[in-house]
Amino acid sequence: MPLWDIFNFSEAVKKARGAQSVPKLVEWIDASRIRHDPDPQLVDGKEFKPGECYFTLRLSGLHLADSRRFTQELMPLFLCLAEFRSRGKPRTLPFALGPHQIRDRLKEIQPNASDDEKPRPGWVELRDIEIVPLMPMSLASLEAFIGLYAMPTNDIAFTLLNVMGSVSGALGGTLAPALAVAEKVYSGFNELLGIKGVTPQVETLHGGMLKNSGYLLVSNAPENSKHKGKLFVVGARLREGEQLNSPLVTDFDYCLLAVQRRETVIEASGTAPDILGAQWDEVIEAFNGSDGVALDAFRKLQRTIYAAELTLRDRDAVLAGYLLEFDKAAKVFGKPKEAEGLSRSGSRGSSALSAVSKIPEIYGPLARQEAPVLSDKETEKLRSGASAWARAADLQAAFARGGKPAGSVSNAIMRSQIDV
């Protein structure tokens, strides 16, 4: 569902309530105003370039100028609907935090303050929350509808809010990009906005979010606030100065979101990501079976890698890394026919060897017949998949030095195995 429809609906609800439209402070905070970040390399202000990097949208935290309102009088709801393109197709990811999730993580900034009528500022620590998981940057940018709402405390509203929060799976990762699920959340959102007493604390529709990495501040401070252009994000918290002990910004409600940029998912440390770990385990286990079983499992893994949300350069390196490690495993575990089936036969009468004959970084190791001798530690890395990722890191650098066109290596590998 287009985010613009949500924005129009929200505006219509405001008019129906007779609410006066007042511009609010929505501000981009670039690298020049970011200090002591937990992940400095991800918010260093580098440019997003289509096909060359990844983006992630994370909710760093929510600030409530008076936290007691949301624990005694009202119930909070945070909602974000993000829209972007992946592999040429539009994707919509709904995300919500209901009262339970927000209240459980709410920390009063002044916990020892006297129990009087003054507001109690509170911060909801959410740095581990992904709204949009790691995705390759495409030609289209990211836009998001972001809102923090207050609702009266009644059983119907409370149930709706927590359903919104649980449906999005906020604490366990974002939803799969299923349009039907997004529409369900959108429908629930419409119902929420129609309930008497629902008031937006913070609300915006923001587009063009993938220019450079940094932070987005969405607040209910006036657009001409004295803070405009002067605030810093220090240690992933909004502060009035650039030091770790600079005063926290506490006099208005706001959401702080990190738009992170990552060059690659391949780490030189060789730590195998969970995305492929289970399937590689199946491949290793299949070496205990009859001939051909491990090869079938590995071809399944190849298809997974080829279809994964990876940049072309990462896809080249990961496919090549796992190809060489499968060949090594077949030789080490005494299954030479598995290696031969991979490198010397193909569905098109070709072979991996001939397909990569012009890629020396792959051809050389595949062409060797002798089984390598591994230490116990090296064997463990082979079994875990760590050596595949370490090898991918080396190959990535080698392909870059050799000027290989992005995507050419993975296409060559898959062309000999399956119809791409």
Side-chain angles (χ1 to χ4, degrees):
M1 113 274 329
L3 297 184
W4 187 249
D5 290 347
I6 301 174
F7 180 74
N8 285 340
F9 179 84
S10 177
E11 291 300 303
V13 170
K14 286 182 183 178
K15 290 179 181 178
R17 293 176 181 148
Q20 184 178 2
S21 179
V22 178
K24 302 298 183 181
L25 179 62
V26 177
E27 184 176 22
W28 183 256
I29 298 177
D30 61 25
S32 67
R33 290 192 282 152
I34 299 173
R35 303 285 189 275
H36 306 289
D37 200 82
D39 300 296
Q41 74 281 7
L42 304 184
V43 288
D44 55 7
K46 288 184 179 178
E47 181 183 359
F48 286 101
K49 294 183 179 180
E52 297 185 15
C53 61
Y54 301 84
F55 74 90
T56 305
L57 180 63
R58 304 182 74 92
L59 179 59
S60 290
L62 307 173
H63 178 265
L64 307 173
D66 187 0
S67 62
R68 288 191 301 186
R69 290 178 62 230
F70 291 96
T71 56
Q72 300 174 6
E73 305 168 15
L74 299 168
M75 293 179 301
L77 167 70
F78 172 82
L79 179 75
C80 180
L81 288 171
E83 192 170 86
F84 53 95
R85 296 187 74 84
S86 172
R87 295 182 177 270
K89 297 180 180 180
R91 293 184 62 172
T92 301
L93 285 181
F95 178 95
L97 285 175
H100 282 315
Q101 294 96 334
I102 293 177
R103 288 173 173 174
D104 287 348
R105 296 193 174 204
L106 179 63
K107 300 176 181 178
E108 286 193 9
I109 294 177
Q110 301 168 347
N112 298 321
S114 60
D115 189 14
D116 52 27
E117 298 301 318
K118 293 181 180 179
R120 292 279 191 89
W123 173 256
V124 184
E125 189 76 26
L126 297 166
R127 278 186 297 185
D128 58 340
I129 298 294
E130 281 186 347
I131 296 175
V132 179
L134 200 66
M135 297 294 298
M137 170 62 181
S138 68
L139 288 172
S141 193
L142 168 71
E143 62 178 359
F145 180 87
I146 303 157
L148 176 63
Y149 297 86
M151 287 194 58
T153 53
N154 62 65
D155 292 339
I156 296 176
F158 190 75
T159 300
L160 282 171
L161 281 167
N162 279 305
V163 166
M164 292 282 287
S166 60
V167 165
S168 74
L171 298 180
T174 54
L175 285 169
L179 183 61
V181 177
E183 288 175 343
K184 182 177 180 181
V185 174
Y186 178 41
S187 174
F189 186 44
N190 288 355
E191 291 182 46
L192 289 172
L193 287 181
I195 296 175
K196 185 178 180 181
V198 175
T199 56
Q201 307 300 293
V202 173
E203 191 177 57
T204 190
L205 176 70
H206 203 79
M209 296 175 68
L210 299 182
K211 295 177 181 177
N212 302 84
S213 61
Y215 280 88
L216 177 67
L217 170 65
V218 182
S219 79
N220 62 1
E223 197 275 336
N224 61 351
S225 167
K226 65 179 181 179
H227 295 296
K228 186 175 182 179
K230 299 177 181 179
L231 299 176
F232 289 79
V233 175
V234 185
R237 299 284 295 273
L238 194 66
R239 296 182 182 272
E240 295 183 16
E242 57 185 299
Q243 304 301 321
L244 282 168
N245 60 354
S246 296
L248 291 166
V249 178
T250 62
D251 50 349
F252 52 84
D253 297 330
Y254 58 84
C255 310
L256 189 63
L257 298 98
V259 181
Q260 299 178 335
R261 177 190 177 278
R262 190 184 294 270
E263 195 81 25
T264 177
V265 298
I266 299 172
E267 297 180 4
S269 63
T271 302
D274 291 340
I275 186 175
L276 301 175
Q279 280 191 257
W280 180 248
D281 289 343
E282 291 178 11
V283 173
I284 296 298
E285 182 62 29
F287 280 114
N288 296 320
S290 57
D291 289 342
V293 177
L295 179 57
D296 289 342
F298 181 66
R299 283 177 171 161
K300 180 181 176 182
L301 173 62
Q302 285 184 306
R303 292 191 290 270
T304 297
I305 295 171
Y306 195 80
E309 297 288 0
L310 297 170
T311 63
L312 294 181
R313 295 194 183 281
D314 276 1
R315 190 177 74 184
D316 286 347
V318 174
L319 263 174
Y322 272 99
L323 172 63
L324 295 183
E325 290 304 289
F326 176 82
D327 180 74
K328 181 200 293 183
K331 293 169 181 174
V332 168
F333 300 141
K335 293 280 188 174
K337 289 185 178 180
E338 300 283 2
E340 290 174 7
L342 178 72
S343 61
R344 291 170 176 78
S345 67
S347 60
R348 296 181 175 182
S350 60
S351 70
L353 268 178
S354 61
V356 301
S357 60
K358 295 183 179 180
I359 310 174
E361 298 88 350
I362 303 176
Y363 182 82
L366 281 182
R368 296 190 192 105
Q369 297 297 310
E370 67 278 7
V373 178
L374 303 182
S375 66
D376 291 345
K377 186 175 182 180
E378 289 171 331
T379 302
E380 179 57 33
K381 287 185 176 181
L382 174 63
R383 289 182 174 278
S384 70
S387 59
W389 284 87
R391 200 154 193 173
D394 293 337
L395 289 167
Q396 186 180 52
F399 294 158
R401 289 193 301 268
K404 298 285 191 302
S408 62
V409 173
S410 52
N411 286 341
I413 293 172
M414 297 302 288
R415 194 171 291 120
S416 67
Q417 305 300 324
I418 60 173
D419 293 332
V420 294

